[in-house]
């Protein structure tokens, strides 16, 4: 079945056609490890994980590389301000290395909590300085870079077209450009490839231009090329990376080898909190740990994120998390009931299950339409007959969902609502002395995996 992805580069939903059908190569911009990752960052990581799962569901092998930015990401995207790592190190009275190690560890713990697989390749910027230097030297050689007294800049006027990924308004940028940043820049939108380090700068390396450190954009270009080649299939990230970081990655690659580094550029939209931005000053920055501390299985957040398409803004609320928690419990209950189910399936039932499976497959292949895919998951979970084939189908769907559907709910003693409804109907049948109906309902409850006993205290329901 064909797969379609919305491609930021073509502004179209493009049919996926891999460069090499043996292996799909994906690069994702990873975290700058100077602070805790938020549930917003994790939304982007969940979308990337689903993307990989969809490719694997369709039979592809996937090679995924993600960088760890531990140097060179400045406070402002326009080459201004302090390095984020150094700022954190100063504020937390630690070395940049300690900061990087601490937040990298936490980042991978969060991925694990959300059942997000670790990329095949995880590469740290500080461990790839020679590759980055070589990249910049090549750009110099090709005439796309120039030196000023503070940095090595990329000259965007040398490109046939800039920007090509975003709608970056260069005229506006020119008018608003701050001339005091570096008056030696040739064009206001030129960006730093390599930055000369001031005397007391903590993270710096020897280079042909003296002690210095890399710019943020060159890191991804150099590492992407090293691990995935000059041109790979998919490049992902959050939507905020389009106008600067990804635009500049493309510029660098065109300057070095004349190629756009990826065929498909796929971007995830933002997570909002109560309709607005997450920000420290509003006190609404949430982490995976906050979800755990409220007593939820963090996987609930993963399921919650499927309520919205990855290209739309998703509004986080605790009510939403609570609803997702109940949904997770119902899906896991349904799986367990089907696992033990003994209802016979007719040809018609099997055909319906096959239709559900196909609809699910179509939905995920249509630019990862998870809200639509979830409607088919529910159709399977609510299938009237309980049978192991339904459980198998749910498990197959879980290779995309990643919600560990086969795990037991913590509160197994909690009886599902539909069983309670059957028990209530049986109570009424008994009050009406309709013993045949009462027995029929008892058998039905039994088939669904529960035992109902009549005791002096009333009815007692237990799970088989
Ligand atoms: P940052 O920590 O801001 O450097 O972001 C790291 C990654 O997470 C980038 O790809 C961002 O696009 C993404 N990101 C940051 N905040 C959010 C958010 N609220 N919702 C979704 N993705 C986000
Ligand atoms: Zn990047």
């Amino acid at each position: 079945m064909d797969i379609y992805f919305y491609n930021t580069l073509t502004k179209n939903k493009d049919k996926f056609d891999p460069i090499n059908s043996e292996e799909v190569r994906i690069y994702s911009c990873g975290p700058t490890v100077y602070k805790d990752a938020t549930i917003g960052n994790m939304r982007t990581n969940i979308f990337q994980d689903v993307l990989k799962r969809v490719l694997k569901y369709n039979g592809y092998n996937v090679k995924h590389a993600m960088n760890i930015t531990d140097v060179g990401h400045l406070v402002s995207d326009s080459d201004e301000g302090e390095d984020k790592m150094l700022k954190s190190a100063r504020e937390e009275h630690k070395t940049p290395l300690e900061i990087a190690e601490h937040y990298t560890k936490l980042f991978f713990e969060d991925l694990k909590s959300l059942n997000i697989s670790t990329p095949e390749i995880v590469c740290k910027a500080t461990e790839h300085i020679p590759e980055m230097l070589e990249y910049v030297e090549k750009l110099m050689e090709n005439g796309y870079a120039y030196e000023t007294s503070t940095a090595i800049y990329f000259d965007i006027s040398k490109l046939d077209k800039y920007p090509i990924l975003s709608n970056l308004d260069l005229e506006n940028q020119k008018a608003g450009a701050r001339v005091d940043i570096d008056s030696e820049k040739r064009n206001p939108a030129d960006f730093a490839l390599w930055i000369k380090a001031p005397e007391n700068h903590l993270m710096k390396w020897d280079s042909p231009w003296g002690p210095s450190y890399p710019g943020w954009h060159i890191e991804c270009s150099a590492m992407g090329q090293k691990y995935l080649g000059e041109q790979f299939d998919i490049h992902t990230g959050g939507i905020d990376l389009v106008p600067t970081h990804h635009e500049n990655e493309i510029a660098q690659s065109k300057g070095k080898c004349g190629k756009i580094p990826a065929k498909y550029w796929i971007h995830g939209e933002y997570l909002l909190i109560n309709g607005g931005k997450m920000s420290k000053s509003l006190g609404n920055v949430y982490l995976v740990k906050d979800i755990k501390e409220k007593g939820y299985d963090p996987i609930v957040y993963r399921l919650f994120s499927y309520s919205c398409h990855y290209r739309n803004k998703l509004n986080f609320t605790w009510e939403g998390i609570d609803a997702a928690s109940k949904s997770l419990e119902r899906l896991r209950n349904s799986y367990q009931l089907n696992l033990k189910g003994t209802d016979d399936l007719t040809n018609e039932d099997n055909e319906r299950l096959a239709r559900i499976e196909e609809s699910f497959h179509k939905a995920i292949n249509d630019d990862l339409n998870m809200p639509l895919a979830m409607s088919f998951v529910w159709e399977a979970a609510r299938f009237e007959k309980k049978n192991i084939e339904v459980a198998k189908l749910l498990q197959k769907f879980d290779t995309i969902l990643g919600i560990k559907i086969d795990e037991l709910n913590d509160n197994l003693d909690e009886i599902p609502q539909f069983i309670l409804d059957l028990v209530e109907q049986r109570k009424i049948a008994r009050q009406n002395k309709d013993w045949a109906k009462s027995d029929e309902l008892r058998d039905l409850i039994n088939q669904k995996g529960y035992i109902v006993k009549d005791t002096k205290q009333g009815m007692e329901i237990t799970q088989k």
Side-chain angles (χ1 to χ4, degrees), residues 26-222:
I26 309 177
Y27 187 90
S28 299
C29 292
T32 305
V33 282
Y34 70 108
K35 61 167 187 185
D36 289 303
T38 67
I39 55 170
N41 302 136
M42 286 301 142
R43 181 183 185 204
T44 299
N45 285 287
I46 292 171
F47 128 69
Q48 290 167 174
D49 191 55
V50 170
L51 168 68
K52 280 164 65 182
R53 286 169 182 263
V54 167
L55 289 164
K56 288 180 186 169
Y57 194 93
N58 284 278
Y60 290 111
N61 292 318
V62 174
K63 187 180 194 180
H64 182 209
M66 175 188 269
N67 69 296
I68 301 288
T69 298
D70 53 359
V71 65
H73 193 171
L74 304 190
V75 169
S76 147
D77 275 355
S78 49
D79 303 329
E80 278 181 272
E82 212 176 342
D83 186 317
K84 291 183 180 185
M85 296 300 300
L86 295 183
K87 184 168 184 277
S88 271
R90 187 167 44 74
E91 287 169 359
E92 294 192 30
H93 308 290
K94 290 188 177 139
T95 65
L97 184 68
E98 282 168 341
I99 292 287
E101 277 178 358
H102 175 72
Y103 289 112
T104 303
K105 185 168 167 274
L106 290 183
F107 175 77
F108 284 105
E109 279 172 17
D110 282 352
L111 292 196
K112 192 158 180 261
S113 298
L114 294 169
N115 199 21
I116 297 171
S117 64
T118 304
E120 285 72 26
I121 297 154
V122 175
C123 38
K124 284 185 195 170
T126 50
E127 290 174 1
H128 294 80
I129 301 293
E131 287 88 344
M132 295 177 205
L133 263 178
E134 198 184 304
Y135 206 116
V136 178
E137 282 174 306
K138 184 76 184 158
L139 286 174
M140 274 286 205
E141 204 181 299
N142 291 354
Y144 284 88
Y146 61 94
E147 182 179 2
T148 71
S149 43
T150 58
I152 309 301
Y153 282 103
F154 188 97
D155 184 346
I156 59 148
S157 67
K158 293 282 179 345
L159 294 167
D160 54 340
K161 197 166 180 266
Y162 181 94
I164 65 167
L165 191 66
S166 58
N167 302 319
L168 199 68
D169 182 349
L170 291 187
E171 281 311 306
N172 244 342
Q173 200 169 12
K174 215 181 270 179
R178 287 182 42 188
V179 283
D180 55 322
I181 299 167
D182 191 339
S183 55
E184 298 167 62
K185 266 168 76 164
R186 293 181 189 166
N187 311 287
D190 286 354
F191 55 91
L193 296 163
W194 209 264
I195 303 153
K196 296 184 182 176
E199 189 78 13
N200 53 357
H201 198 84
L202 272 183
M203 286 192 287
K204 58 189 169 192
W205 291 264
D206 283 337
S207 80
W209 313 285
S212 45
Y213 58 96
W216 174 35
H217 319 305
I218 201 71
E219 302 180 0
C220 289
S221 287

Side-chain angles (χ1 to χ4, degrees), residues 185-357:
K185 266 168 76 164
R186 293 181 189 166
N187 311 287
D190 286 354
F191 55 91
L193 296 163
W194 209 264
I195 303 153
K196 296 184 182 176
E199 189 78 13
N200 53 357
H201 198 84
L202 272 183
M203 286 192 287
K204 58 189 169 192
W205 291 264
D206 283 337
S207 80
W209 313 285
S212 45
Y213 58 96
W216 174 35
H217 319 305
I218 201 71
E219 302 180 0
C220 289
S221 287
M223 291 189 273
Q225 187 197 285
K226 173 171 179 175
Y227 294 105
L228 304 178
E230 283 181 350
Q231 213 172 23
F232 43 90
D233 298 287
I234 303 176
H235 198 310
T236 71
I239 193 83
D240 57 317
L241 302 185
V242 175
T244 315
H245 187 53
H246 288 172
E247 194 68 75
N248 294 345
E249 270 188 55
I250 292 178
Q252 290 167 160
S253 176
K254 283 179 74 176
K256 181 171 183 283
C257 57
K259 290 178 187 161
I260 294 176
K263 231 176 134 178
Y264 304 89
W265 293 75
I266 311 182
H267 294 98
E269 248 299 351
Y270 257 46
L271 177 83
L272 304 180
I273 307 282
N274 295 322
K277 253 193 106 163
M278 232 188 302
S279 93
K280 267 194 183 147
S281 57
L282 294 171
N284 63 4
V285 174
Y286 297 124
L287 314 180
V288 172
K289 131 171 140 322
D290 297 318
I291 295 180
K292 286 186 194 166
E293 276 170 13
K294 289 226 178 199
Y296 296 105
D297 178 339
I299 292 285
V300 163
Y301 178 64
R302 204 180 158 113
L303 185 57
F304 168 75
S305 78
Y306 301 151
S307 57
C308 179
H309 192 273
Y310 78 93
R311 285 196 294 115
N312 290 332
K313 291 185 175 66
L314 168 63
N315 192 30
F316 178 88
T317 59
W318 287 108
E319 290 76 28
I321 288 294
D322 207 49
S325 172
K326 293 195 173 92
S327 296
L328 180 65
E329 202 178 302
R330 283 189 201 117
L331 290 172
R332 286 178 174 173
N333 266 336
S334 168
Y335 175 80
Q336 292 299 332
L337 289 175
N338 277 293
L339 208 55
K340 296 179 205 131
T342 52
D343 293 339
D344 288 330
L345 297 183
T346 61
N347 281 345
E348 208 178 300
D349 290 328
N350 283 320
E351 276 163 23
R352 219 184 109 206
L353 288 175
R355 269 202 309 277
I356 295 174
E357 182 175 0

